[in-house]
Amino acid sequence: MELQFYTLDVFTEQRFAGNPLAVVLDADALDTQTMQRVAREFNLSETAFVMKPESPAHNAKIRIFTPGAELPFAGHPTVGTAILLSELRAQHGFSGTSALVALEQKIGVVRAGVRRESGRPAFAEFDAPKLPRPETNVPAVDDIAAAVNLMPSEIGLANHRPIRVTAGMSQLFVPVRSMSAIAKAAPNLSRWNALCQEPEGIGTYLYTGETQHSSSHFHARMFAPHHGIHEDPATGSAAAAFAAVLTHFDAPHDGTHKRRIEQGYQMGRPSLIHVSFDVAGRNLTTVRIGGHAVLVSSGQITVTD
């Protein structure tokens, strides 16, 4: 069986930057084991498999795999798949500069708005399917520092402290004092288990307020070695959960807040993630994640003998 696939670079307007994504179409006949093997073959942060939706009101059902495991939800596959399906519709005569794409995922239905502008890559934005919330089981700073090859004194930023947040998947958020410190961070696999006590945990997200570009608010890195991702160039699900971190520590006033997060620079894959979140009564009420994506390649993959 041969299936059509595309690869896109997500959270960027330029090819060979951002977070690469593989999207396999018409994958209804594939079982879980085969999808995992295909994801391992592409060996990208994530591979999305597109199938017929269970509801005719939706555009597609997708399953998302890292090289090591299936995820109930992920940000850059949502952005990339929504943009790809919108572009394919446009090729078949569907006109218009905007579209709504509803994707059935394991976490629930995720709706993404896609905007196309002449001369620029398409942009997609989606509402986080679950609001992130802080958890209490945070590793000790000494354990975190050892696991990411930093000194304990390099962890912490203003009033920010390490915190674990869940939004369907548990992620550890670690504030780092400076760009020079975050640049030298790396997973220490012999100490990594201290950070991965949650079975649904996906990874550890480091961030600092020093940035490469003045238009960015935060510089981030994401490590998830137990899921086959030594480092992720851009992590939309973590950016969505980061809104809970900002709400928890910064206590923003009621209203809409926008932040831009740069990621992937140490990998040579510069990425930009747009985060918008609403606060009411000092509580987080909505989180939206957005970014551009560009088509890089297409072809056919043989999935069965």
Side-chain angles (χ1 to χ4, degrees), residues 275-300:
V275 183
S276 175
F277 61 98
D278 298 326
V279 175
R282 302 294 182 179
N283 294 315
L284 187 65
T285 59
T286 308
V287 181
R288 291 173 294 279
I289 298 297
H292 295 86
V294 291
L295 181 65
V296 176
S297 68
S298 64
Q300 290 185 317

PDB file of all heavy atoms in Angstrom, residues 275-300:
ATOM      1  N   VAL A 275       1.237  33.149  21.164  1.00  0.00           N
ATOM      2  CA  VAL A 275       0.368  32.725  22.262  1.00  0.00           C
ATOM      3  C   VAL A 275      -0.553  33.876  22.624  1.00  0.00           C
ATOM      4  O   VAL A 275      -0.091  35.003  22.832  1.00  0.00           O
ATOM      5  CB  VAL A 275       1.177  32.307  23.502  1.00  0.00           C
ATOM      6  CG1 VAL A 275       0.252  31.811  24.604  1.00  0.00           C
ATOM      7  CG2 VAL A 275       2.212  31.254  23.146  1.00  0.00           C
ATOM      8  N   SER A 276      -1.834  33.601  22.682  1.00  0.00           N
ATOM      9  CA  SER A 276      -2.819  34.578  23.126  1.00  0.00           C
ATOM     10  C   SER A 276      -3.676  33.921  24.201  1.00  0.00           C
ATOM     11  O   SER A 276      -4.128  32.789  24.020  1.00  0.00           O
ATOM     12  CB  SER A 276      -3.695  35.028  21.946  1.00  0.00           C
ATOM     13  OG  SER A 276      -4.717  35.889  22.376  1.00  0.00           O
ATOM     14  N   PHE A 277      -3.856  34.604  25.321  1.00  0.00           N
ATOM     15  CA  PHE A 277      -4.671  34.007  26.384  1.00  0.00           C
ATOM     16  C   PHE A 277      -5.523  35.068  27.067  1.00  0.00           C
ATOM     17  O   PHE A 277      -5.150  36.239  27.149  1.00  0.00           O
ATOM     18  CB  PHE A 277      -3.798  33.256  27.393  1.00  0.00           C
ATOM     19  CG  PHE A 277      -2.775  34.081  28.123  1.00  0.00           C
ATOM     20  CD1 PHE A 277      -3.014  34.559  29.400  1.00  0.00           C
ATOM     21  CD2 PHE A 277      -1.548  34.358  27.532  1.00  0.00           C
ATOM     22  CE1 PHE A 277      -2.057  35.314  30.081  1.00  0.00           C
ATOM     23  CE2 PHE A 277      -0.582  35.096  28.202  1.00  0.00           C
ATOM     24  CZ  PHE A 277      -0.842  35.578  29.482  1.00  0.00           C
ATOM     25  N   ASP A 278      -6.685  34.636  27.515  1.00  0.00           N
ATOM     26  CA  ASP A 278      -7.645  35.508  28.177  1.00  0.00           C
ATOM     27  C   ASP A 278      -7.698  35.206  29.662  1.00  0.00           C
ATOM     28  O   ASP A 278      -7.658  34.030  30.071  1.00  0.00           O
ATOM     29  CB  ASP A 278      -9.041  35.325  27.577  1.00  0.00           C
ATOM     30  CG  ASP A 278      -9.091  35.692  26.097  1.00  0.00           C
ATOM     31  OD1 ASP A 278      -8.360  36.627  25.704  1.00  0.00           O
ATOM     32  OD2 ASP A 278      -9.845  35.044  25.352  1.00  0.00           O
ATOM     33  N   VAL A 279      -7.787  36.256  30.452  1.00  0.00           N
ATOM     34  CA  VAL A 279      -7.885  36.146  31.896  1.00  0.00           C
ATOM     35  C   VAL A 279      -9.142  36.868  32.363  1.00  0.00           C
ATOM     36  O   VAL A 279      -9.423  37.988  31.920  1.00  0.00           O
ATOM     37  CB  VAL A 279      -6.632  36.752  32.581  1.00  0.00           C
ATOM     38  CG1 VAL A 279      -6.782  36.739  34.105  1.00  0.00           C
ATOM     39  CG2 VAL A 279      -5.381  35.999  32.161  1.00  0.00           C
ATOM     40  N   ALA A 280      -9.925  36.225  33.243  1.00  0.00           N
ATOM     41  CA  ALA A 280     -11.117  36.830  33.836  1.00  0.00           C
ATOM     42  C   ALA A 280     -11.156  36.449  35.305  1.00  0.00           C
ATOM     43  O   ALA A 280     -11.010  35.263  35.640  1.00  0.00           O
ATOM     44  CB  ALA A 280     -12.390  36.363  33.128  1.00  0.00           C
ATOM     45  N   GLY A 281     -11.314  37.430  36.166  1.00  0.00           N
ATOM     46  CA  GLY A 281     -11.305  37.152  37.598  1.00  0.00           C
ATOM     47  C   GLY A 281      -9.998  36.546  38.046  1.00  0.00           C
ATOM     48  O   GLY A 281      -9.965  35.727  38.959  1.00  0.00           O
ATOM     49  N   ARG A 282      -8.892  36.971  37.380  1.00  0.00           N
ATOM     50  CA  ARG A 282      -7.544  36.466  37.647  1.00  0.00           C
ATOM     51  C   ARG A 282      -7.372  34.994  37.294  1.00  0.00           C
ATOM     52  O   ARG A 282      -6.362  34.377  37.640  1.00  0.00           O
ATOM     53  CB  ARG A 282      -7.150  36.679  39.120  1.00  0.00           C
ATOM     54  CG  ARG A 282      -7.197  38.130  39.567  1.00  0.00           C
ATOM     55  CD  ARG A 282      -6.133  38.944  38.833  1.00  0.00           C
ATOM     56  NE  ARG A 282      -6.129  40.339  39.270  1.00  0.00           N
ATOM     57  CZ  ARG A 282      -5.295  41.271  38.818  1.00  0.00           C
ATOM     58  NH1 ARG A 282      -4.413  40.959  37.889  1.00  0.00           N
ATOM     59  NH2 ARG A 282      -5.349  42.511  39.252  1.00  0.00           N
ATOM     60  N   ASN A 283      -8.342  34.413  36.573  1.00  0.00           N
ATOM     61  CA  ASN A 283      -8.265  33.012  36.161  1.00  0.00           C
ATOM     62  C   ASN A 283      -8.096  32.916  34.648  1.00  0.00           C
ATOM     63  O   ASN A 283      -8.667  33.707  33.890  1.00  0.00           O
ATOM     64  CB  ASN A 283      -9.523  32.248  36.583  1.00  0.00           C
ATOM     65  CG  ASN A 283      -9.655  32.141  38.083  1.00  0.00           C
ATOM     66  OD1 ASN A 283      -8.697  31.831  38.779  1.00  0.00           O
ATOM     67  ND2 ASN A 283     -10.849  32.412  38.594  1.00  0.00           N
ATOM     68  N   LEU A 284      -7.331  31.944  34.219  1.00  0.00           N
ATOM     69  CA  LEU A 284      -7.147  31.682  32.802  1.00  0.00           C
ATOM     70  C   LEU A 284      -8.426  31.101  32.224  1.00  0.00           C
ATOM     71  O   LEU A 284      -8.963  30.119  32.733  1.00  0.00           O
ATOM     72  CB  LEU A 284      -5.981  30.709  32.627  1.00  0.00           C
ATOM     73  CG  LEU A 284      -5.497  30.409  31.214  1.00  0.00           C
ATOM     74  CD1 LEU A 284      -4.914  31.657  30.561  1.00  0.00           C
ATOM     75  CD2 LEU A 284      -4.451  29.291  31.249  1.00  0.00           C
ATOM     76  N   THR A 285      -8.942  31.705  31.141  1.00  0.00           N
ATOM     77  CA  THR A 285     -10.210  31.240  30.575  1.00  0.00           C
ATOM     78  C   THR A 285     -10.082  30.693  29.161  1.00  0.00           C
ATOM     79  O   THR A 285     -10.856  29.838  28.754  1.00  0.00           O
ATOM     80  CB  THR A 285     -11.252  32.378  30.569  1.00  0.00           C
ATOM     81  OG1 THR A 285     -10.744  33.481  29.790  1.00  0.00           O
ATOM     82  CG2 THR A 285     -11.544  32.848  31.991  1.00  0.00           C
ATOM     83  N   THR A 286      -9.097  31.162  28.391  1.00  0.00           N
ATOM     84  CA  THR A 286      -8.917  30.709  27.013  1.00  0.00           C
ATOM     85  C   THR A 286      -7.442  30.810  26.650  1.00  0.00           C
ATOM     86  O   THR A 286      -6.769  31.752  27.072  1.00  0.00           O
ATOM     87  CB  THR A 286      -9.721  31.572  26.012  1.00  0.00           C
ATOM     88  OG1 THR A 286     -11.078  31.662  26.433  1.00  0.00           O
ATOM     89  CG2 THR A 286      -9.673  30.974  24.610  1.00  0.00           C
ATOM     90  N   VAL A 287      -6.960  29.843  25.869  1.00  0.00           N
ATOM     91  CA  VAL A 287      -5.594  29.895  25.344  1.00  0.00           C
ATOM     92  C   VAL A 287      -5.648  29.591  23.852  1.00  0.00           C
ATOM     93  O   VAL A 287      -6.299  28.627  23.432  1.00  0.00           O
ATOM     94  CB  VAL A 287      -4.667  28.878  26.036  1.00  0.00           C
ATOM     95  CG1 VAL A 287      -3.246  28.999  25.468  1.00  0.00           C
ATOM     96  CG2 VAL A 287      -4.658  29.072  27.542  1.00  0.00           C
ATOM     97  N   ARG A 288      -4.972  30.417  23.064  1.00  0.00           N
ATOM     98  CA  ARG A 288      -4.889  30.195  21.622  1.00  0.00           C
ATOM     99  C   ARG A 288      -3.419  30.149  21.206  1.00  0.00           C
ATOM    100  O   ARG A 288      -2.600  30.944  21.690  1.00  0.00           O
ATOM    101  CB  ARG A 288      -5.611  31.309  20.850  1.00  0.00           C
ATOM    102  CG  ARG A 288      -7.114  31.300  21.013  1.00  0.00           C
ATOM    103  CD  ARG A 288      -7.753  32.516  20.377  1.00  0.00           C
ATOM    104  NE  ARG A 288      -7.361  33.739  21.077  1.00  0.00           N
ATOM    105  CZ  ARG A 288      -7.920  34.170  22.203  1.00  0.00           C
ATOM    106  NH1 ARG A 288      -8.888  33.476  22.764  1.00  0.00           N
ATOM    107  NH2 ARG A 288      -7.508  35.283  22.769  1.00  0.00           N
ATOM    108  N   ILE A 289      -3.111  29.230  20.295  1.00  0.00           N
ATOM    109  CA  ILE A 289      -1.759  29.063  19.775  1.00  0.00           C
ATOM    110  C   ILE A 289      -1.794  29.251  18.265  1.00  0.00           C
ATOM    111  O   ILE A 289      -2.673  28.705  17.586  1.00  0.00           O
ATOM    112  CB  ILE A 289      -1.203  27.659  20.106  1.00  0.00           C
ATOM    113  CG1 ILE A 289      -1.120  27.474  21.617  1.00  0.00           C
ATOM    114  CG2 ILE A 289       0.162  27.451  19.468  1.00  0.00           C
ATOM    115  CD1 ILE A 289      -0.185  28.423  22.306  1.00  0.00           C
ATOM    116  N   GLY A 290      -0.844  30.021  17.748  1.00  0.00           N
ATOM    117  CA  GLY A 290      -0.819  30.254  16.317  1.00  0.00           C
ATOM    118  C   GLY A 290       0.581  30.224  15.744  1.00  0.00           C
ATOM    119  O   GLY A 290       1.573  30.396  16.459  1.00  0.00           O
ATOM    120  N   GLY A 291       0.654  30.014  14.433  1.00  0.00           N
ATOM    121  CA  GLY A 291       1.934  30.034  13.747  1.00  0.00           C
ATOM    122  C   GLY A 291       1.757  29.794  12.260  1.00  0.00           C
ATOM    123  O   GLY A 291       0.693  29.356  11.808  1.00  0.00           O
ATOM    124  N   HIS A 292       2.802  30.099  11.515  1.00  0.00           N
ATOM    125  CA  HIS A 292       2.814  29.849  10.077  1.00  0.00           C
ATOM    126  C   HIS A 292       3.342  28.444   9.794  1.00  0.00           C
ATOM    127  O   HIS A 292       3.917  27.787  10.669  1.00  0.00           O
ATOM    128  CB  HIS A 292       3.713  30.865   9.369  1.00  0.00           C
ATOM    129  CG  HIS A 292       3.215  32.271   9.451  1.00  0.00           C
ATOM    130  ND1 HIS A 292       3.505  33.099  10.513  1.00  0.00           N
ATOM    131  CD2 HIS A 292       2.456  33.015   8.595  1.00  0.00           C
ATOM    132  CE1 HIS A 292       2.944  34.283  10.325  1.00  0.00           C
ATOM    133  NE2 HIS A 292       2.314  34.260   9.166  1.00  0.00           N
ATOM    134  N   ALA A 293       3.179  28.000   8.563  1.00  0.00           N
ATOM    135  CA  ALA A 293       3.769  26.737   8.106  1.00  0.00           C
ATOM    136  C   ALA A 293       4.005  26.815   6.612  1.00  0.00           C
ATOM    137  O   ALA A 293       3.241  27.465   5.877  1.00  0.00           O
ATOM    138  CB  ALA A 293       2.872  25.549   8.448  1.00  0.00           C
ATOM    139  N   VAL A 294       5.068  26.151   6.155  1.00  0.00           N
ATOM    140  CA  VAL A 294       5.401  26.133   4.731  1.00  0.00           C
ATOM    141  C   VAL A 294       5.590  24.689   4.278  1.00  0.00           C
ATOM    142  O   VAL A 294       6.156  23.860   4.995  1.00  0.00           O
ATOM    143  CB  VAL A 294       6.677  26.952   4.440  1.00  0.00           C
ATOM    144  CG1 VAL A 294       6.425  28.424   4.653  1.00  0.00           C
ATOM    145  CG2 VAL A 294       7.839  26.496   5.308  1.00  0.00           C
ATOM    146  N   LEU A 295       5.099  24.394   3.089  1.00  0.00           N
ATOM    147  CA  LEU A 295       5.257  23.064   2.505  1.00  0.00           C
ATOM    148  C   LEU A 295       6.691  22.865   2.042  1.00  0.00           C
ATOM    149  O   LEU A 295       7.268  23.745   1.395  1.00  0.00           O
ATOM    150  CB  LEU A 295       4.297  22.890   1.330  1.00  0.00           C
ATOM    151  CG  LEU A 295       4.315  21.535   0.629  1.00  0.00           C
ATOM    152  CD1 LEU A 295       3.834  20.429   1.561  1.00  0.00           C
ATOM    153  CD2 LEU A 295       3.444  21.592  -0.622  1.00  0.00           C
ATOM    154  N   VAL A 296       7.272  21.707   2.368  1.00  0.00           N
ATOM    155  CA  VAL A 296       8.663  21.424   2.013  1.00  0.00           C
ATOM    156  C   VAL A 296       8.763  20.308   0.990  1.00  0.00           C
ATOM    157  O   VAL A 296       9.493  20.402   0.003  1.00  0.00           O
ATOM    158  CB  VAL A 296       9.482  21.068   3.258  1.00  0.00           C
ATOM    159  CG1 VAL A 296      10.916  20.675   2.889  1.00  0.00           C
ATOM    160  CG2 VAL A 296       9.498  22.240   4.235  1.00  0.00           C
ATOM    161  N   SER A 297       8.026  19.216   1.177  1.00  0.00           N
ATOM    162  CA  SER A 297       8.163  18.082   0.263  1.00  0.00           C
ATOM    163  C   SER A 297       6.865  17.278   0.217  1.00  0.00           C
ATOM    164  O   SER A 297       5.992  17.419   1.082  1.00  0.00           O
ATOM    165  CB  SER A 297       9.318  17.167   0.694  1.00  0.00           C
ATOM    166  OG  SER A 297       9.011  16.512   1.916  1.00  0.00           O
ATOM    167  N   SER A 298       6.776  16.433  -0.789  1.00  0.00           N
ATOM    168  CA  SER A 298       5.644  15.522  -0.899  1.00  0.00           C
ATOM    169  C   SER A 298       6.120  14.263  -1.607  1.00  0.00           C
ATOM    170  O   SER A 298       7.133  14.243  -2.300  1.00  0.00           O
ATOM    171  CB  SER A 298       4.474  16.151  -1.670  1.00  0.00           C
ATOM    172  OG  SER A 298       4.858  16.420  -3.009  1.00  0.00           O
ATOM    173  N   GLY A 299       5.382  13.185  -1.385  1.00  0.00           N
ATOM    174  CA  GLY A 299       5.760  11.932  -2.023  1.00  0.00           C
ATOM    175  C   GLY A 299       4.847  10.805  -1.592  1.00  0.00           C
ATOM    176  O   GLY A 299       3.771  11.042  -1.027  1.00  0.00           O
ATOM    177  N   GLN A 300       5.276   9.584  -1.833  1.00  0.00           N
ATOM    178  CA  GLN A 300       4.514   8.405  -1.437  1.00  0.00           C
ATOM    179  C   GLN A 300       5.381   7.513  -0.576  1.00  0.00           C
ATOM    180  O   GLN A 300       6.589   7.383  -0.814  1.00  0.00           O
ATOM    181  CB  GLN A 300       4.033   7.644  -2.665  1.00  0.00           C
ATOM    182  CG  GLN A 300       2.946   8.383  -3.456  1.00  0.00           C
ATOM    183  CD  GLN A 300       2.416   7.531  -4.580  1.00  0.00           C
ATOM    184  OE1 GLN A 300       3.161   6.869  -5.288  1.00  0.00           O
ATOM    185  NE2 GLN A 300       1.104   7.545  -4.757  1.00  0.00           N
TER     186      GLN A 300
END
